[in-house]
């Protein structure tokens, strides 16, 4: 199993959520209001000099579904090339 993490500017929240839900990813965890600096977009530090915040969308999926999630990311990057969208995956082990 893998954890898919997608970081995006808060003002894209409705669009991002809708795109993943339309692709049948309706179970997720979202962290609102994160801040940070990256190499592909302006810093979002929620300050007057670096306004804005990010959100992080987490989706746990079987390994074979990662390619489907990355297709959504590629489509979004093509539509918004300067948005600074970032996607990551990592191994996930459920502990009970």
């Amino acid at each position: 199993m893998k954890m898919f993490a997608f970081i995006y500017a808060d003002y894209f929240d409705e669009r991002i959520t809708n795109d993943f839900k339309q692709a049948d990813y309706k179970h997720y965890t979202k962290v609102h209001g994160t801040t940070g600096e990256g190499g592909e977009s302006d810093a979002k530090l929620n300050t007057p000099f670096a306004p804005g915040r990010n959100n992080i969308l987490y989706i746990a999926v079987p390994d074979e579904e990662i390619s489907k999630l990355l297709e959504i990311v590629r489509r979004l990057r093509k539509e918004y090339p300067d948005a600074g969208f970032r996607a990551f995956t990592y191994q996930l082990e459920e502990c009970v």
Side-chain angles (χ1 to χ4, degrees):
M1 208 156 181
K2 296 231 189 229
M3 180 62 78
F4 170 81
F6 187 56
I7 304 168
Y8 57 94
D10 181 66
Y11 49 82
F12 285 107
D13 190 61
E14 186 175 337
R15 169 64 195 272
I16 299 300
T17 302
N18 288 337
D19 279 13
F20 283 96
K21 281 184 173 183
Q22 286 178 0
D24 214 24
Y25 292 100
K26 297 179 171 118
H27 301 103
Y28 58 87
T29 297
K30 193 183 296 184
V31 180
H32 292 270
T34 63
T35 59
E37 296 183 56
E40 294 185 15
S41 65
D42 294 334
K44 290 175 189 63
L45 302 174
N46 200 36
T47 68
F49 299 105
R53 291 182 183 212
N54 290 316
N55 293 338
I56 306 171
L57 178 72
Y58 291 105
I59 303 173
V61 295
D63 291 10
E64 58 271 12
E65 288 193 37
I66 290 298
S67 60
K68 184 177 175 186
L69 290 166
L70 293 177
E71 276 304 311
I72 297 168
V73 173
R74 286 184 192 99
R75 187 177 67 239
L76 287 164
R77 281 186 171 176
K78 188 173 184 178
E79 190 172 343
Y80 302 102
D82 298 323
F85 297 140
R86 301 293 294 176
F88 302 93
T89 65
Y90 50 91
Q91 281 302 119
L92 183 66
E93 184 176 324
E94 186 174 8
C95 300
V96 177

